[in-house]
Amino acid sequence: MVDPIKDLLHLYADAVCRQDADQWIATWSESGTWDLGHGEPVSGKGPLKTFWISSMSRFDTVIHTYSNSISELDADSGTGFGRAYVTEWLKPAEGETLVLHGFYDDLYVFENDKWLFRERVLNRVYMGKADFSD
């Protein structure tokens, strides 16, 4: 059985790992909002893509993985919600390697014949040195 949200998460993670801005933005709805838990949320495909490219430019490598996720979709309304647990290993262009552990609270929308992110809110559990010394 095909799970459209797991496929969406995998496309997103693949785009992050390969730093593919076009594939990454294709996982978002037209009015998508990304909230990283610090600063102002970013909304709309144009601003999202610009912000993502700027953020990713600070890193030589980002490995983005999901350990588990849950989701509930309502096909009649074309909406859904879910949670995805994420780990990122980040190698900045300058400085020490970091690790992020957290989870995304997501809202989904069925748009243009596919499920997309309408909103992603990152909840950080830990971000710092990979040995957890921060």
Side-chain angles (χ1 to χ4, degrees), residues 12-24:
Y12 183 102
D14 178 61
V16 172
C17 292
R18 294 183 310 101
Q19 297 191 16
D20 183 333
D22 291 332
Q23 182 175 314
W24 184 83

Side-chain angles (χ1 to χ4, degrees), residues 59-129:
F59 300 100
D60 289 337
T61 306
V62 178
I63 306 298
H64 184 100
T65 62
Y66 296 105
S67 55
N68 38 70
S69 64
I70 55 172
S71 60
E72 187 171 315
L73 303 176
D74 181 340
D76 292 335
S77 69
T79 61
F81 61 91
R83 177 170 285 161
Y85 287 82
V86 63
T87 300
E88 282 187 338
W89 290 269
L90 306 132
K91 184 179 184 304
E94 297 180 17
E96 294 185 40
T97 301
L98 303 169
V99 66
L100 173 134
H101 294 285
F103 58 92
Y104 274 110
D105 284 320
D106 294 326
L107 297 178
Y108 314 112
V109 63
F110 193 75
E111 189 176 278
N112 300 322
D113 296 323
K114 57 188 168 187
W115 288 97
L116 300 168
F117 295 113
R118 184 173 76 193
E119 180 179 271
R120 301 205 84 190
V121 177
L122 179 62
N123 301 276
R124 293 177 188 201
V125 175
Y126 174 81
M127 183 165 182
K129 294 179 183 176

Side-chain angles (χ1 to χ4, degrees), residues 15 20-29 44-46 48-49 52 116:
D20 183 333
D22 291 332
Q23 182 175 314
W24 184 83
I25 200 62
T27 65
W28 289 90
S29 72
K45 276 193 151 182
L48 280 168
K49 187 174 181 180
W52 188 79
L116 300 168

